[in-house]
Amino acid sequence: MKREYSPKEKAIYKAVLELFEEGADLNSLTVSEITTKAGIGKGTAYDYFSDKEEMIAKALFYNIEYYCESLYRGMSKEKNLYDKMNYILLSMEKQLTKTKCLIRLDHMLCDHSSTGERIRALKEKKTSDEMLPVDLIRKVLYDEISGKDAISENVITYLGMSIFAKILCYAMLLDEGKYGSDEERRDMRELICRGICREIEGV
Amino acid sequence: MKREYSPKEKAIYKAVLELFEEGADLNSLTVSEITTKAGIGKGTAYDYFSDKEEMIAKALFYNIEYYCESLYRGMSKEKNLYDKMNYILLSMEKQLTKTKCLIRLDHMLCDHSSTGERIRALKEKKTSDEMLPVDLIRKVLYDEISGKDAISENVITYLGMSIFAKILCYAMLLDEGKYGSDEERRDMRELICRGICREIEGV
Amino acid sequence: MKREYSPKEKAIYKAVLELFEEGADLNSLTVSEITTKAGIGKGTAYDYFSDKEEMIAKALFYNIEYYCESLYRGMSKEKNLYDKMNYILLSMEKQLTKTKCLIRLDHMLCDHSSTGERIRALKEKKTSDEMLPVDLIRKVLYDEISGKDAISENVITYLGMSIFAKILCYAMLLDEGKYGSDEERRDMRELICRGICREIEGV
Amino acid sequence: MKREYSPKEKAIYKAVLELFEEGADLNSLTVSEITTKAGIGKGTAYDYFSDKEEMIAKALFYNIEYYCESLYRGMSKEKNLYDKMNYILLSMEKQLTKTKCLIRLDHMLCDHSSTGERIRALKEKKTSDEMLPVDLIRKVLYDEISGKDAISENVITYLGMSIFAKILCYAMLLDEGKYGSDEERRDMRELICRGICREIEGV
DNA sequence: TATGAATGAGAATTCATTCAT
DNA sequence: AATGAATGAATTCTCATTCAT
């Protein structure tokens, strides 16, 4: 069962997200900026978090988790794999900020920053009902292949990685601002979804 | 034609790389650390670079470029696509630090940090003979499909992204330290190379 | 007549003493520490004391006074000066914490800290039935010389100071932890007591 | 051989002393205050000292050492014990600030503050040519009794402590500002010097 | 009466950058 | 050209004190 967050905690989470949306670099965010945006006193933040890194790491984690859950719920309504993937890609297009947040989390998971360290720690001790992007992909994949003949663990890992890689890179392309026209994006989505389906069938 | 780097510049580039190898976070590197490691005076660094961000951005850029070139040279000896891809994946395994550097560069290309900004600027005005990971993939891809029927630009972009995504994610897996055993890594490499080949043939 | 202390006040006094016994620096004690140890709310402390300094100053004062009284009562049972002095020194050895408290009070009486200021103020307006270390010595001294020929006020002041100085320095030695062996301490006590007696007889 | 102090170090030492003279509490001195008074930048202080505590501890130590040396030099010109002691007491009267500094050092040697900790550490590793008040007394005492019959180590320790105690308490009396009139002070000095001489002869 | 959550002024410390040598 | 001592703006974090409940 998920724990509840106090209003102050939520205010911090929201503030970090908003600052990020405004283009701030998560690594150079200051406590003052965060608490001002959150509308609370500087000291108050320290009653709920042990230090700045914890504020940012938990904020990222909280927001991503929330986002992944809503993605999963929406995606579940789609019938087949192609549509599910398309749903994810479309959602990411529509909620570009959240998508950027997701990319950022993923990147921080493998840098050497102290905030990255914290995020890894959070990931380590996360409960099974908290959902991160990778878990999302894994779930869809399991649903899809459950009817099929036994597939080796190795291949499942590969498929998960491959799907995740494509989605992540599409997100990064979106983030770069390259795909301006709707048609271009639609074409690319199609190619990706088809590529994913073909790859799963191929094995 | 490529410009030459002065010994001091090279010393900085080398120092940044070494510090990164030692586990330093590129965002929290200090000028003192860099110049001490480089064996030059702090003021001297400012004769060659306008600020800290430039030092780090150029260092990353320089090192990656150098690495990509050597990758390309090595890869050119391989005859077919499968072996070329396998060569890249194997090299990345053997030169894990460079690989991490590559990941880091890629991540910085889409964060909001001031160093990231600089790297994007460098990428923008890079001359055609400087090679980044994406260019590497593109080159291989062009070589491969040049004999084939005309393929739409869109599809080429998709293929490039898909290959790049797989390689990048393999690098991230390696970085995470998940793939400990040689067999696991070999299997994964095989799956990736086969996946890439199949995808190109598929279109 | 002595005023009564409310339970909350006493709780604060006790808490400060305990924290001091645990090795805390009186100057860096926090209100939180004190009230937590005292088992009362932070706000409550401010209903009884105007600020942190008052809490600490009064706590020290209260504890010392209490200690001096018990010292005086115990000492009164001894017949002659030598035994009285020996009693004091022995008691100090046995109640090292209280002794340290006494030293601390004495030192604070002449530093520039705000707590020191408060203690001096308390000393200034203390009623005659409150007893501080100096008063203790004075009393013994008066008892001793009351039978003798008139002694100038100057000489009495000198004697009081000299006795006090020896006792204080013995306390500081004990505090330093130098005098480990029982014999060493006994010898030192003897020398001090004899020195005090001889000095009083000398005048 | 004594090491030399850089101008910045000396500036810090001087600044701390001056602030102390102006009535500041050594425990609540701020780095800003110190560096402003010293006329140097805040960061510069950190090039010479690892933290605030080191600044204050070393400043006290440096000033006391310097003072004790000059006291010793001056005292050496006096022929007998009485005059030597009188010289010390008189000097303390004339240089009240230094005297206060001396008291403060002595007190800090036995408190639990972090600065106190540092001073104890400095005392621990001090070289033999650095002179603290206790060493000063010891030297005079040794000179005095060298001609006499063997005196037990215990007794020497006692005598040292007793002399030190009297001088320290006289300093504390002066500090308190009690002894306003010249005559009172002269009388007290006489009593102390005679007391010291008598005590040494007595053993 | 008692509480402790909230505050924000203020302190220590760091580090990019400059500039006299 | 090369240096590194000096700087002070900027940042994190603490804690005495208040006040709504």
Side-chain angles (χ1 to χ4, degrees):
Chain A
M1 221 205 48
K2 215 166 280 179
R3 75 185 276 277
E4 270 313 299
Y5 297 102
S6 82
K8 308 279 168 181
E9 275 174 295
K10 279 186 187 167
I12 293 283
Y13 295 159
K14 193 159 163 287
V16 170
L17 186 64
E18 282 170 18
L19 286 164
F20 180 70
E21 288 176 15
E22 290 165 17
D25 173 34
L26 288 180
N27 273 119
S28 29
L29 233 41
T30 72
V31 175
S32 277
E33 282 174 313
I34 297 173
T35 52
T36 301
K37 178 67 93 179
I40 64 176
K42 216 188 314 182
T44 310
Y46 284 90
D47 288 340
Y48 295 89
F49 302 91
S50 66
D51 51 25
K52 190 184 71 159
E53 273 69 40
E54 200 179 72
M55 294 176 213
I56 297 173
K58 285 192 171 170
L60 257 188
F61 211 79
Y62 170 86
N63 284 303
I64 288 304
E65 204 196 311
Y66 194 80
Y67 178 44
C68 284
E69 265 161 28
S70 85
L71 263 190
Y72 187 71
R73 272 197 306 276
M75 188 185 63
S76 300
K77 290 175 199 133
E78 306 293 336
K79 291 288 174 287
N80 55 54
L81 184 63
Y82 185 98
D83 290 341
K84 284 179 177 176
M85 290 299 122
N86 200 44
Y87 178 87
I88 291 183
L89 298 178
L90 258 174
S91 302
M92 294 200 318
E93 253 182 76
K94 285 183 202 142
Q95 300 183 69
L96 202 48
T97 326
K98 297 280 174 116
T99 304
K100 285 180 183 184
C101 219
L102 198 146
I103 298 171
R104 206 68 195 81
L105 179 91
D106 194 74
H107 289 176
M108 276 193 163
L109 278 170
C110 55
D111 71 11
H112 296 151
S113 70
S114 38
T115 306
E117 202 81 59
R118 291 307 185 82
I119 293 179
R120 280 193 292 282
L122 286 176
K123 192 187 157 197
E124 224 52 59
K125 69 184 175 70
K126 94 174 158 62
T127 59
S128 61
D129 59 343
E130 288 167 349
M131 194 161 17
L132 291 188
V134 179
D135 306 307
L136 188 69
I137 305 293
R138 278 252 155 181
K139 273 196 182 182
V140 186
L141 189 56
Y142 276 124
D143 291 351
E144 194 61 24
I145 62 178
S146 58
K148 308 206 172 183
D149 296 339
I151 300 182
S152 85
E153 184 58 35
N154 250 347
V155 173
I156 296 177
T157 303
Y158 164 72
L159 286 175
M161 191 206 78
S162 179
I163 299 172
F164 180 72
K166 278 172 179 155
I167 294 176
L168 180 65
C169 284
Y170 183 63
M172 284 164 72
L173 279 179
L174 286 176
D175 184 22
E176 259 186 88
K178 282 269 176 69
Y179 284 87
S181 92
D182 285 353
E183 292 77 39
E184 274 177 324
R185 285 204 302 273
R186 197 201 48 221
D187 286 357
M188 184 55 83
R189 276 203 312 277
E190 259 183 50
L191 285 163
I192 291 174
C193 294
R194 245 190 286 146
I196 290 175
C197 291
R198 204 179 301 149
E199 203 156 26
I200 289 187
E201 282 153 22
V203 289
Chain B
M1 220 208 45
K2 214 167 285 181
R3 75 185 276 277
E4 270 313 299
Y5 298 105
S6 83
K8 308 274 172 183
E9 275 175 295
K10 279 187 185 168
I12 292 282
Y13 295 159
K14 192 157 165 287
V16 170
L17 186 64
E18 282 170 16
L19 287 164
F20 179 71
E21 288 177 16
E22 290 165 16
D25 173 34
L26 289 180
N27 272 118
S28 29
L29 233 41
T30 70
V31 175
S32 269
E33 282 175 312
I34 296 172
T35 52
T36 301
K37 176 68 94 180
I40 64 176
K42 220 187 309 188
T44 311
Y46 282 88
D47 291 338
Y48 294 89
F49 302 91
S50 66
D51 52 25
K52 189 183 74 157
E53 275 67 41
E54 199 179 69
M55 294 176 213
I56 298 173
K58 285 193 172 170
L60 258 188
F61 211 79
Y62 170 86
N63 283 303
I64 288 304
E65 204 197 312
Y66 193 81
Y67 178 45
C68 284
E69 267 162 26
S70 85
L71 263 189
Y72 187 71
R73 273 196 307 276
M75 188 184 63
S76 300
K77 289 174 200 137
E78 305 294 335
K79 290 290 173 288
N80 55 54
L81 183 63
Y82 184 99
D83 288 343
K84 283 179 178 176
M85 290 300 123
N86 200 46
Y87 178 87
I88 292 184
L89 298 178
L90 258 174
S91 301
M92 293 200 318
E93 253 181 75
K94 285 185 201 139
Q95 301 184 68
L96 201 48
T97 325
K98 298 278 176 115
T99 306
K100 286 180 182 183
C101 217
L102 197 147
I103 298 171
R104 205 72 194 79
L105 179 90
D106 193 73
H107 288 177
M108 277 193 162
L109 278 170
C110 56
D111 70 12
H112 298 152
S113 70
S114 36
T115 306
E117 202 82 58
R118 292 308 184 80
I119 293 179
R120 278 193 293 283
L122 286 175
K123 193 185 157 198
E124 226 52 59
K125 67 183 176 71
K126 94 174 158 59
T127 59
S128 61
D129 59 343
E130 286 166 350
M131 192 160 18
L132 290 188
V134 179
D135 307 308
L136 188 68
I137 304 293
R138 279 253 156 179
K139 273 196 181 181
V140 185
L141 190 56
Y142 278 125
D143 292 351
E144 194 61 24
I145 61 178
S146 59
K148 307 206 174 185
D149 297 338
I151 300 183
S152 83
E153 185 58 35
N154 249 347
V155 174
I156 295 176
T157 303
Y158 164 72
L159 285 176
M161 191 207 78
S162 179
I163 298 173
F164 181 71
K166 278 173 178 147
I167 293 176
L168 178 65
C169 283
Y170 182 62
M172 284 164 74
L173 278 180
L174 286 176
D175 184 21
E176 259 186 87
K178 281 272 176 66
Y179 283 86
S181 92
D182 286 353
E183 290 78 39
E184 277 177 322
R185 287 203 301 271
R186 197 201 47 219
D187 287 357
M188 184 55 81
R189 278 201 313 275
E190 261 183 49
L191 286 163
I192 292 174
C193 294
R194 245 188 287 148
I196 291 175
C197 291
R198 205 178 298 151
E199 205 156 24
I200 291 188
E201 282 153 22
V203 290
Chain C
M1 220 208 45
K2 214 169 285 180
R3 77 184 275 277
E4 269 313 299
Y5 297 103
S6 83
K8 308 274 171 183
E9 276 175 295
K10 278 186 185 167
I12 292 283
Y13 296 159
K14 194 160 163 285
V16 171
L17 187 63
E18 282 170 15
L19 286 165
F20 179 70
E21 288 177 15
E22 290 164 16
D25 172 35
L26 289 180
N27 272 118
S28 29
L29 231 41
T30 71
V31 176
S32 269
E33 282 175 311
I34 297 173
T35 52
T36 301
K37 177 68 96 181
I40 64 176
K42 220 188 307 187
T44 311
Y46 281 89
D47 291 338
Y48 294 89
F49 301 91
S50 66
D51 52 25
K52 189 182 75 157
E53 274 68 40
E54 199 180 68
M55 296 176 213
I56 297 172
K58 284 193 171 171
L60 258 188
F61 211 79
Y62 170 86
N63 284 302
I64 288 303
E65 203 196 313
Y66 193 82
Y67 177 46
C68 284
E69 267 162 27
S70 86
L71 262 189
Y72 187 71
R73 273 196 307 276
M75 188 184 63
S76 299
K77 290 175 198 135
E78 305 293 336
K79 292 290 176 290
N80 55 55
L81 184 63
Y82 185 98
D83 290 341
K84 283 180 178 176
M85 289 299 122
N86 200 45
Y87 178 87
I88 291 184
L89 297 178
L90 257 174
S91 301
M92 292 200 319
E93 251 180 77
K94 285 184 201 143
Q95 301 182 70
L96 201 47
T97 324
K98 299 279 176 117
T99 305
K100 286 179 182 183
C101 218
L102 198 146
I103 297 172
R104 205 70 194 80
L105 179 90
D106 193 75
H107 288 176
M108 276 193 163
L109 278 169
C110 55
D111 70 13
H112 298 150
S113 70
S114 38
T115 306
E117 201 82 57
R118 293 306 185 80
I119 293 178
R120 279 193 294 281
L122 285 176
K123 192 184 159 199
E124 225 52 59
K125 68 184 175 69
K126 96 175 156 60
T127 59
S128 62
D129 58 345
E130 287 166 347
M131 191 162 17
L132 291 188
V134 178
D135 307 307
L136 187 71
I137 305 292
R138 278 254 155 176
K139 272 196 180 181
V140 186
L141 189 57
Y142 278 124
D143 291 351
E144 195 61 25
I145 61 178
S146 59
K148 308 206 170 180
D149 297 339
I151 300 184
S152 84
E153 185 57 35
N154 249 347
V155 174
I156 294 176
T157 303
Y158 164 72
L159 285 176
M161 192 208 75
S162 179
I163 298 172
F164 180 72
K166 277 172 179 153
I167 293 176
L168 179 66
C169 284
Y170 182 62
M172 283 165 74
L173 278 180
L174 286 176
D175 185 21
E176 258 186 88
K178 281 273 176 65
Y179 283 88
S181 93
D182 286 354
E183 291 79 41
E184 276 178 322
R185 286 202 301 272
R186 198 200 47 221
D187 286 359
M188 184 55 81
R189 278 202 311 278
E190 262 184 48
L191 286 162
I192 292 174
C193 294
R194 246 189 286 147
I196 291 175
C197 292
R198 206 179 298 148
E199 203 155 26
I200 291 188
E201 280 153 23
V203 290
Chain D
M1 218 205 47
K2 214 167 283 182
R3 75 184 275 278
E4 269 313 299
Y5 297 103
S6 82
K8 308 279 167 178
E9 275 176 296
K10 279 187 186 166
I12 293 281
Y13 295 159
K14 193 158 163 288
V16 170
L17 187 63
E18 281 170 18
L19 286 165
F20 179 72
E21 286 176 17
E22 289 164 16
D25 173 33
L26 288 181
N27 273 118
S28 28
L29 231 43
T30 72
V31 175
S32 276
E33 282 174 313
I34 297 173
T35 52
T36 301
K37 178 67 92 180
I40 64 176
K42 216 186 315 181
T44 309
Y46 284 90
D47 289 339
Y48 295 88
F49 302 92
S50 65
D51 51 26
K52 190 183 73 159
E53 273 69 39
E54 200 180 72
M55 294 176 212
I56 298 173
K58 285 193 171 170
L60 257 188
F61 210 80
Y62 171 85
N63 284 304
I64 288 304
E65 204 197 311
Y66 193 80
Y67 178 44
C68 283
E69 266 161 29
S70 86
L71 263 189
Y72 187 71
R73 272 196 307 276
M75 189 185 62
S76 298
K77 291 174 198 134
E78 305 294 336
K79 291 291 175 288
N80 55 54
L81 184 63
Y82 185 100
D83 290 341
K84 282 179 179 177
M85 290 300 123
N86 200 45
Y87 178 87
I88 291 182
L89 297 177
L90 258 175
S91 302
M92 293 200 318
E93 254 181 74
K94 285 184 203 142
Q95 302 182 68
L96 201 47
T97 326
K98 298 277 177 122
T99 305
K100 285 180 182 183
C101 217
L102 198 146
I103 298 172
R104 205 69 195 79
L105 180 89
D106 194 73
H107 288 177
M108 277 195 163
L109 277 170
C110 56
D111 70 13
H112 297 152
S113 70
S114 37
T115 307
E117 202 82 57
R118 291 307 185 79
I119 293 179
R120 280 194 292 282
L122 286 175
K123 193 186 158 199
E124 224 53 58
K125 67 183 176 70
K126 93 174 159 59
T127 59
S128 61
D129 58 343
E130 286 166 349
M131 193 160 19
L132 292 187
V134 179
D135 306 308
L136 187 69
I137 305 293
R138 279 254 155 178
K139 273 197 180 180
V140 186
L141 188 57
Y142 277 123
D143 290 352
E144 194 62 24
I145 62 178
S146 59
K148 308 207 170 181
D149 297 339
I151 300 184
S152 84
E153 184 58 33
N154 252 345
V155 173
I156 295 176
T157 303
Y158 164 73
L159 286 175
M161 192 206 76
S162 180
I163 299 172
F164 180 72
K166 278 174 178 146
I167 293 176
L168 179 65
C169 284
Y170 182 62
M172 283 163 72
L173 279 179
L174 286 176
D175 183 23
E176 259 186 88
K178 283 270 176 68
Y179 283 87
S181 93
D182 285 354
E183 292 77 40
E184 275 177 323
R185 285 205 302 272
R186 197 200 48 221
D187 286 358
M188 183 55 81
R189 277 203 311 277
E190 260 183 49
L191 284 162
I192 291 173
C193 294
R194 246 189 286 144
I196 290 173
C197 292
R198 205 179 300 148
E199 205 156 26
I200 289 186
E201 282 154 21
V203 290

